Amino acid sequence: MTAENETCIAGPSLTYLTCLVQLLLDWLGLENLEDYLNYLEYLMWVFTPLIIVFILPFLIVIFLYLSILFLHVYKRKNELKEAYSNNIWDGARKTLATLWDGHATIWHGYEIYGLEKIPDSGPALIVYYHGALPVDYYYFVAKVILLKGRTCHSVGDHFLFKIPGFKPLLDVFSVIHGPKQECVKALRNGHLLAISPGGVREALFSDETYTIMWGNRIGFAQVAIDAKVPIIPMFTQNVREGFRSLGCLSIFRWIYEKFKVPLVPIYGGFPVKFRTYLGDPINYDPSITASELAEKTKYGLQLLIDKHQKIPGNIFRALLERFHSRKKED
């Protein structure tokens, strides 16, 4: 190596960059770059067939699922044509709903029980448990669009409206940031409205024990009283096994409580079984207060969790549920 360095210094015809490369190769112990490249080429020759053997089946599986998704959309082509002929945004909603419904069917074997409790017309307030990522709620919205022909308005957290590029999606699916007056207005106009009182806090810091984290929030109950509409509780089995958060780490809880920034990492995407259950409607009763109605709603949601969710949740068990059917409960 010393001889090489001396040659580098002594040889004025060598460029500075060439000398640096030579020094780097000497430092790495690669005295012969050509031999090293030949060795890499040999390894690639040996392992390429193995890589192809594992990658190709994976690509074929992806292609098969894309084919299934295409067929799922194609079978609704007449409905999509009709929707586009009436209103361009109706067509867009129905197309996206079909795609999400296809994803729900393929990836989670999604089922929904109690959809008949959603009125075919007229208002209702749907109150649901918030998973780490509320993909189950997206599936529910898709089902309501496709099977009920209705758009369920949603109350979203303020940070959603700050994400670049999200505005068209939020507008098309009638997502509002939740002032009480806007919620009451939507219901009085005859729309369905869905809200998760636990919101981001429940999404990030609840866990596989499925603890409802509403605190003292009763605003949703006051909205239902002011609009004189029923409340329908909703829960999705295994939603915490599909996606989980690292909210158990105190640093993320501190950041959220201090700055109200949802920086908690979420992981998962596991193809576990999802079943959404809608509880019995809690009808409007002018004699009860918002606090009493909120407590009654929480009790109704807890009943759904106790009845349909094994505690604590288990990802492996939820995966196995994809392979056996469960009789629909009334």
Side-chain angles (χ1 to χ4, degrees):
M1 181 172 177
T2 304
E4 293 285 352
N5 292 346
E6 290 174 354
T7 303
C8 191
I9 296 171
S13 61
L14 294 175
T15 65
Y16 179 70
L17 181 60
T18 304
C19 288
L20 283 180
V21 171
Q22 184 62 53
L23 290 172
L24 179 62
L25 293 177
D26 290 342
W27 182 73
L28 292 173
L30 303 175
E31 297 180 357
N32 193 328
L33 181 59
E34 185 178 354
D35 289 344
Y36 178 67
L37 293 176
N38 287 337
Y39 181 65
L40 283 179
E41 185 180 359
Y42 171 74
L43 289 178
M44 288 296 296
W45 180 79
V46 170
F47 288 106
T48 295
L50 292 175
I51 294 171
I52 292 174
V53 164
F54 283 102
I55 288 180
L56 283 181
F58 181 70
L59 293 177
I60 290 172
V61 169
I62 291 177
F63 182 73
L64 287 172
Y65 275 115
L66 289 174
S67 300
I68 295 169
L69 187 59
F70 169 77
L71 292 175
H72 194 83
V73 174
Y74 186 80
K75 74 180 182 180
R76 296 185 181 274
K77 64 175 183 175
N78 291 332
E79 296 176 33
L80 294 176
K81 280 183 180 179
E82 183 180 352
Y84 276 106
S85 66
N86 293 331
N87 182 292
I88 188 171
W89 293 122
D90 286 343
R93 271 191 292 268
K94 205 149 197 175
T95 300
L96 288 174
T98 301
L99 291 171
W100 276 103
D101 190 52
H103 182 272
T105 302
I106 294 167
W107 198 245
H108 291 290
Y110 182 70
E111 299 172 9
I112 185 167
Y113 298 129
L115 190 61
E116 68 279 358
K117 296 172 184 177
I118 300 293
D120 294 329
S121 62
L125 181 63
I126 297 141
V127 175
Y128 63 97
Y129 173 84
H130 204 306
L133 194 66
V135 66
D136 62 307
Y137 176 68
Y138 309 154
Y139 298 156
F140 165 75
V141 169
K143 285 290 188 187
V144 171
I145 291 173
L146 295 175
L147 300 181
K148 291 283 187 177
R150 304 192 65 184
T151 300
C152 184
H153 293 222
S154 310
V155 178
D157 195 90
H158 288 273
F159 86 90
L160 287 176
F161 297 85
K162 298 177 182 178
I163 301 176
F166 258 50
K167 190 177 186 303
L169 186 65
L170 299 176
D171 288 345
V172 168
F173 284 93
S174 303
V175 181
I176 59 178
H177 58 78
K180 175 185 168 185
Q181 296 80 0
E182 289 297 315
C183 294
V184 172
K185 180 181 176 182
L187 290 166
R188 286 179 176 171
N189 287 338
H191 298 297
L192 298 172
L193 181 68
I195 184 171
S196 174
V200 174
R201 180 176 280 101
E202 187 171 86
L204 300 180
F205 304 113
S206 186
D207 55 23
E208 61 271 20
T209 61
Y210 288 84
T211 304
I212 297 174
M213 303 180 70
W214 291 2
N216 296 319
R217 294 183 177 180
I218 62 172
F220 72 94
Q222 190 61 57
V223 165
I225 290 172
D226 291 346
K228 300 180 180 180
V229 299
I231 292 178
I232 303 174
M234 183 174 78
F235 170 73
T236 298
Q237 182 188 56
N238 297 326
V239 66
R240 283 275 162 191
E241 281 56 71
F243 290 90
R244 288 190 172 177
S245 75
L246 295 179
C248 57
L249 301 180
S250 58
I251 181 64
F252 296 122
R253 184 66 178 263
W254 180 84
I255 291 172
Y256 178 77
E257 298 296 350
K258 185 75 173 177
F259 303 104
K260 300 303 178 187
V261 179
L263 290 179
V264 181
I266 293 174
Y267 66 96
F270 305 113
V272 300
K273 183 69 176 181
F274 276 179
R275 297 184 181 94
T276 291
Y277 296 92
L278 289 140
D280 293 329
I282 303 169
N283 293 318
Y284 168 67
D285 182 352
S287 65
I288 65 174
T289 65
S291 296
E292 291 170 336
L293 181 56
E295 193 60 36
K296 195 172 182 180
T297 305
K298 185 177 182 180
Y299 177 74
L301 183 57
Q302 189 63 56
L303 283 179
L304 292 176
I305 295 173
D306 293 343
K307 184 176 182 181
H308 302 294
Q309 183 65 53
K310 292 183 179 179
I311 304 294
N314 181 281
I315 294 172
F316 182 67
R317 183 178 63 229
L319 286 169
L320 290 180
E321 289 178 12
R322 291 294 306 273
F323 302 99
H324 65 81
S325 60
R326 179 175 178 176
K327 188 176 180 181
K328 182 175 178 180
E329 299 182 36
D330 296 327

